Each structure stands twice: as C-alpha cells, then as structure tokens.
Amino acid sequence: VLYKESVGTGTPTPVTPEMERVKRNQEICSSVLYKENIGKATPTPVTPEMERVKRNQEIISSVLYKENVGKVTPTPITPEMERVKRNQEIISSVLYKENVGQATPTPVTPEMERVKRNQEQISSVAYREGLGKATPSPVTPEMERVKRNQEQISSVLYKEHMAKGTPTPLTPEMERAKRNQENISSVLYSDGFRKQVQGKAAYVLDTPEMRRVRETQKHISTVKYHEDFEKSKGSFTPVVTDPITERVKKNMQDFSDISYRGIQRRVVEMERKRVDQDQENLTG
C-alpha cells in the first residue's frame, strides 16, 4: 500500500513495434545467457535404490499431508444449496455466451476436407508409433469372476442412487408426437444415407488372404457343380405336351423343311442349268 502511495501518476505510452522488437530481443538474450551459465552435468542412471527412495518420499509426503489435514464437519446438501448451484451454472453459461463475439462462418471447401482427412491419418499413424509393446495376459476364470462381481456391484450402486420417479400417463398427444419424431428421424436418416452411401462403392483391399479365400470358393463351387451334374446326368425333366404345343412344333418343322428344301432345290436346278449351258457352249 505504501509503495503504491509513493508511486505518482504516470503517462501511459503506446506499445510501438519498436518496443515489441526490443522486448523480444531482451527475452532471447536472457534465454541465451541463462543457457550459457548452465554448466555441463553428468547424467546418472536411475538405480533400483533411487526408485525405492523416490517411492518412500512420495508415501511419506502423502502421509504427512493427510496428518496435517484437520477434522472437518460435513454439511448436508440442502435444496437451497442445489438451487444456488444451478443458478450459478445458468449465470455462468449466460455470461459465457454474452462474451462470445460474432463470428463469420466460412464454407467447408474440398481442400479443407482433404487437409482434415490427412491430419486424422497423420494423428492415427503418430498415435500407433507412440504405442509401445505390451505383454498380453490371459483371461483367467478368477479375472472373469471379479469382472462379473464388479458389474453387479456397479449395477446395485447405480440403482440405489436412483431417485423415485413419478409415472406419467401416455396420452394420445404424446403418441402422436412420438410418431412424428420417428417419421422425422426416418426421413433425415434416409436423406443422410442417400447423400453419403447411396451410389458409392465400398472399397475392400485385395489381400493375399482374400485372394486365397476367393480361389477356394471357386474350387468348392466347381466341385459342387460337377457333383450336381453327375447326379442329374442321364435324367430328363418331363414336359407336358398339349395340342397347341404340338401344332406349333409341327408348323415350325414344316416351315424349316420347306425353306431348306426349296432353296436347296433351286440351287441344284441352277447348277444343272449352268452345266448344260457350259456344255452347249463348248460343243457349239
């Protein structure tokens, strides 16, 4: 307080680009000098003894921290405290939204989509590279039993914390609203399906395993086909012959015979005439 009273009123000066440049140079110089003053150190390996001492220090610090914590008196959470808490959350949400300024929406271009996909792929690759090697452990019957017990305990505790609800009757208006919501959801789902999936093919990698399975399926299909063929060989499928089928069959056969024989007879006659004419020309 006395220090602030002794300080008089000053004249604020604007922060110019030159002042910014000088400030950055000072920070760089300070960083360089700090690194120059640090001497060379000799790294020491982390031995099991050092690990043990470190764990003991952590345990001692935890014990001392708990000893220094005094006894407190728990206070029940009253409805008034719940109301104040909810009001504070609502006020915080309203103030946060008020402080958010107006933004200019930017369209999502194909280039932005491509960059986003590349970033996701890079993140996935980097994440997998950072994963170390793990040792798989078998799931024993004891572990299965403990897992089931934990699930049952969690279910029991969850049901104990659930408060009693007031059942509400299902009115026709609620039924109508429910059906409308289902119809709207179905329409939106269909639109999204048509835009994203319909008309696009699903690409599947052609791996050696898939090629082997495909070849095996072909062999199995061929063997099955030959097996069915050998079973059905020598047998025929009887067909009912009615008068109409007989008449059509006879007409087709007569038409074929007439067409074939008529053309053949005409060809034979023309050939005979040509031979006779040639003979006459030679003798004449």
Side-chain angles (χ1 to χ4, degrees), residues 258 260-270 272:
I258 291 170
Y260 174 74
R261 291 176 183 176
I263 293 172
Q264 187 70 15
R265 188 181 301 108
R266 189 179 304 167
V267 171
V268 172
E269 290 176 357
M270 290 176 67
R272 187 181 298 116

Side-chain angles (χ1 to χ4, degrees), residues 17-57:
E18 182 65 20
M19 293 175 67
E20 289 285 341
R21 185 182 64 80
V22 172
K23 184 178 179 181
R24 283 197 300 273
N25 291 339
Q26 287 293 331
E27 292 175 353
I28 295 170
C29 293
S30 299
S31 176
V32 172
L33 292 174
Y34 172 75
K35 292 180 180 178
E36 288 179 354
N37 293 330
I38 295 177
K40 296 181 179 179
T42 304
T44 57
V46 180
T47 61
E49 181 65 19
M50 293 174 68
E51 289 286 342
R52 185 183 63 79
V53 172
K54 184 178 178 181
R55 284 197 300 272
N56 291 339
Q57 287 293 332

Side-chain angles (χ1 to χ4, degrees), residues 56-87:
N56 291 339
Q57 287 293 332
E58 292 175 355
I59 295 170
I60 292 170
S61 299
S62 176
V63 173
L64 292 176
Y65 172 76
K66 292 180 180 178
E67 288 180 353
N68 293 329
V69 176
K71 295 180 179 179
V72 297
T73 304
T75 57
I77 299 176
T78 61
E80 182 65 19
M81 293 173 67
E82 289 286 341
R83 186 183 63 80
V84 172
K85 184 178 178 181
R86 283 196 301 272
N87 290 340

Side-chain angles (χ1 to χ4, degrees), residues 170-188:
L170 193 59
T171 60
E173 181 65 21
M174 293 173 68
E175 287 285 344
R176 185 183 64 79
K178 184 178 178 182
R179 283 196 301 273
N180 291 340
Q181 287 294 330
E182 292 176 354
N183 294 334
I184 293 170
S185 300
S186 177
V187 171
L188 294 176

Side-chain angles (χ1 to χ4, degrees), residues 235-247:
S235 60
F236 60 93
T237 304
V239 179
V240 178
T241 304
D242 54 349
I244 296 176
T245 306
E246 286 290 337
R247 182 176 60 79

